[in-house]
Amino acid sequence: MNTAEHLHPKYTYADLAQWPEDERWELIEGVPYAMTSPQRLHQEIVSELCRQIGNYLQGKSCEIYVAPFDVRLPYKNEADNDVETVVQPDLSVICDPSKLDKKGCRGAPDWIIEVLSPSTALKDMNAKRNLYQQHGVEEYWIIHPEDRWIMVYTFDEKGRYGQPGVFGMDEATRVQRFSDLSIDWSFMPAVEISNPSPNIV
C-alpha cells in the first residue's frame, strides 16, 4: 500500500455494513459522505412525490423507493462486499426487478430524484450527476425547494447527459421516462423566487 492509499483508504459496502445503524453514509468511489437529517420541507416534497409517482406506478412493473434505500453501483462484476459506490437517493424508480434484492438495488435505477439541501447541494449537482451518468441512470432530477426550480437530466444521442432542462414549479413538470406522467407542484408553499434560472457549467 502506498502512502496516498494509507492516508486516504477506500471503503467498500462491506465496511459500510459494519458502521452504526443509526448513522447514514454514502460511498462514492470509496469515499464516505455522512448524511444529515433532512429539513421538514425536504421531507414533505419527498413524501408527496412518492405519493404521486407511486399512484401512477400502480399496476406497472416499475417500483419506487424512498431513502434510506441502498443503491449499489458496481463498476464491473465485483461482489457486493467490494462495491465502492453505494448511494441513497431521495427517490429511486426501478423498472428491472432483477436489480432488486433484500439489500436494496444493485445497478442503476431508471429515474432518480434528489432534493437539494445546503449540506448535499454540491454533491448532488456535481459528483452524483457524473456518477449517475456513468452508471446509466436514464433520468435524473435535482429539485431546489427554496428557489422552486427543477433541473432534469436525460441522455443525449451520445449517451451522455446533455444540457439539463430547468423548470419552475408554476406548472406541472412532465417526466421523460413516463410520457403520460407529470408532477403537480401545487402542494408547494408559495415563496419568492430568488434564482429561478441557475447558471449551468
Side-chain angles (χ1 to χ4, degrees), residues 6 10 19 31 40 42 51 53 58 71 74 97 99 104 108 111 132 134 141 143 145 152 157 162 164 172 183:
H6 179 69
K10 284 194 172 184
W19 296 349
V31 177
R40 184 170 63 88
H42 178 287
R51 185 191 68 79
I53 298 167
Q58 286 187 0
V71 174
K99 293 181 179 180
W111 178 20
Y132 295 157
Q134 183 176 3
W141 284 29
I143 297 173
V152 176
E157 65 278 0
I183 299 301

Side-chain angles (χ1 to χ4, degrees), residues 17-142:
Q18 301 302 316
W19 296 349
E21 293 184 1
D22 60 347
E23 297 178 4
R24 289 181 59 202
W25 294 86
E26 291 184 312
L27 293 179
I28 297 181
E29 297 181 346
V31 177
Y33 294 86
M35 303 183 69
T36 59
S37 297
Q39 296 180 352
R40 184 170 63 88
L41 178 59
H42 178 287
Q43 292 297 78
E44 289 176 351
I45 293 171
V46 170
S47 296
E48 174 61 20
L49 293 186
C50 184
R51 185 191 68 79
Q52 291 189 35
I53 298 167
N55 286 343
Y56 170 81
L57 292 178
Q58 286 187 0
K60 298 180 173 62
S61 60
C62 303
E63 297 187 46
I64 186 168
Y65 293 90
V66 180
F69 177 77
D70 283 345
V71 174
R72 290 156 284 148
L73 296 174
Y75 281 94
K76 295 181 180 177
N77 229 1
E78 63 264 37
D80 278 345
N81 283 346
D82 298 324
V83 172
E84 294 181 349
T85 296
V86 184
V87 292
Q88 291 190 0
D90 288 319
L91 290 162
S92 304
V93 175
I94 298 139
C95 297
D96 182 353
S98 69
K99 293 181 179 180
L100 296 170
D101 57 25
K102 64 180 181 180
K103 299 176 183 177
C105 175
R106 179 184 168 99
D110 297 79
W111 178 20
I112 283 178
I113 300 174
E114 300 278 14
V115 180
L116 294 184
S117 62
S119 62
T120 65
L122 286 177
K123 181 176 64 170
D124 291 342
M125 295 184 71
N126 293 297
K128 281 191 170 181
R129 177 195 61 197
N130 295 335
L131 184 72
Y132 295 157
Q133 173 183 264
Q134 183 176 3
H135 284 271
V137 176
E138 185 176 333
E139 186 162 352
Y140 176 35
W141 284 29
I142 300 173

